[in-house]
Amino acid sequence: MSGKPRLTYCNGRGRMEPVRWLLAAAGVEFEEIFLETREQYEKLIKDGVLMFQQVPLVEIDGMKMVQTRAILSYIAGKYNLYGKDLKERALIDMYVEGITDLMQMILMFPFSPPEAKEKNLDSIKERATNRYFPVFEKVLKQHGQDFLVGNKFSWADVQLIEAILAVEEKIPAVLSGFPQLQAFKIRMSNMPTIKKFLQPGSPRKPPPDECYIETVLKIFRK
């Protein structure tokens, strides 16, 4: 193994995309193994590689890590993106958990039946504009700093820019009432490591298409 973190997942966003974002934001190069068949997945289980028989799987520092939250916490701590003390870490945790709740709706959207898509899209817009984005708009306005916590770039900032861009893909004008988030988006998108990740040819995955959905269902649906 090269020493780079090695990520095992399908060739798409899913639950691995925030891991890709966080590693990229920290300036860390990584390798990827893409699952394409159920047999590959079953072999990982048979070999005892997946603690809870689930991916994402990230091999880093001699560990085979599973569970997205644990993986992200480790990466954030390792690369100094997790606040300076327990209070800052608690704030980051709260912000990340809130963003994750919103992203769960985005994650499941491609798998919803056609007749439910319009309703689900309305739900994403309602939650984003009334519950989640107002929180971050208020935080940025109140403390007048560039970042969410401690005026220092953190895991929470990475999660938020990922969420903003993911929601905008579906609802382009979603930030129209959030000037602080509009400015935040520009700042984050121009940070060198994130700017690089947003360029064509980076490890960032495109929005899920039919091929990705079929692959996921083929591998994980019993």
Side-chain angles (χ1 to χ4, degrees), residues 10 37-39 41-42 108 110-113 212-222:
C10 300
T37 66
R38 183 160 180 87
E39 288 71 29
Y41 172 56
E42 289 175 341
M108 297 310 298
F111 298 93
S112 56
Y212 170 74
I213 293 165
E214 288 174 13
T215 302
V216 169
L217 295 177
K218 177 177 68 177
I219 294 173
F220 302 116
R221 177 183 280 175
K222 289 186 177 180

Side-chain angles (χ1 to χ4, degrees), residues 16-185:
M16 187 64 89
E17 194 68 358
V19 178
R20 298 183 187 108
W21 264 93
L22 194 57
L23 285 168
V28 179
E29 293 186 356
F30 52 87
E31 299 173 349
E32 295 200 72
I33 297 173
F34 297 124
L35 298 177
E36 297 176 346
T37 66
R38 183 160 180 87
E39 288 71 29
Q40 288 175 290
Y41 172 56
E42 289 175 341
K43 187 177 187 305
L44 289 174
I45 295 173
K46 184 179 178 181
D47 292 347
V49 175
L50 304 178
M51 183 181 289
F52 298 110
Q53 302 184 16
Q54 294 173 317
V55 289
L57 167 67
V58 174
E59 297 172 77
I60 184 171
D61 295 342
M63 297 186 293
K64 290 180 169 60
M65 295 196 69
V66 295
Q67 298 292 14
T68 310
R69 171 69 201 223
I71 294 165
L72 290 166
S73 296
Y74 183 82
I75 293 168
K78 178 178 174 70
Y79 295 106
N80 197 28
L81 297 171
Y82 210 173
K84 71 177 187 297
D85 54 32
L86 280 174
K87 287 186 176 180
E88 287 195 356
R89 183 166 292 195
L91 270 178
I92 290 168
D93 284 341
M94 286 193 288
Y95 294 156
V96 164
E97 288 293 308
I99 298 164
T100 301
D101 289 345
L102 175 60
M103 288 300 291
Q104 179 67 15
M105 300 176 71
I106 301 282
L107 191 70
M108 297 310 298
F109 180 79
F111 298 93
S112 56
E115 64 273 13
K117 277 193 160 42
E118 185 175 348
K119 179 182 177 184
N120 290 346
L121 193 61
D122 287 342
S123 293
I124 291 169
K125 181 178 180 181
E126 193 276 330
R127 292 285 182 88
T129 56
N130 293 326
R131 181 181 297 188
Y132 295 107
F133 286 174
V135 170
F136 302 108
E137 180 77 8
K138 182 178 178 181
V139 167
L140 291 166
K141 185 174 182 179
Q142 283 185 338
H143 65 39
Q145 297 172 341
D146 288 347
F147 306 108
L148 289 171
V149 180
N151 202 27
K152 185 175 183 295
F153 185 51
S154 77
W155 173 20
D157 299 302
V158 181
Q159 294 272 115
L160 181 55
I161 183 61
E162 179 192 1
I164 286 171
L165 295 179
V167 176
E168 278 191 330
E169 284 174 349
K170 293 177 169 47
I171 308 157
V174 72
L175 290 187
S176 60
F178 300 101
Q180 298 293 332
L181 289 182
Q182 292 173 33
F184 174 86
K185 173 190 161 186

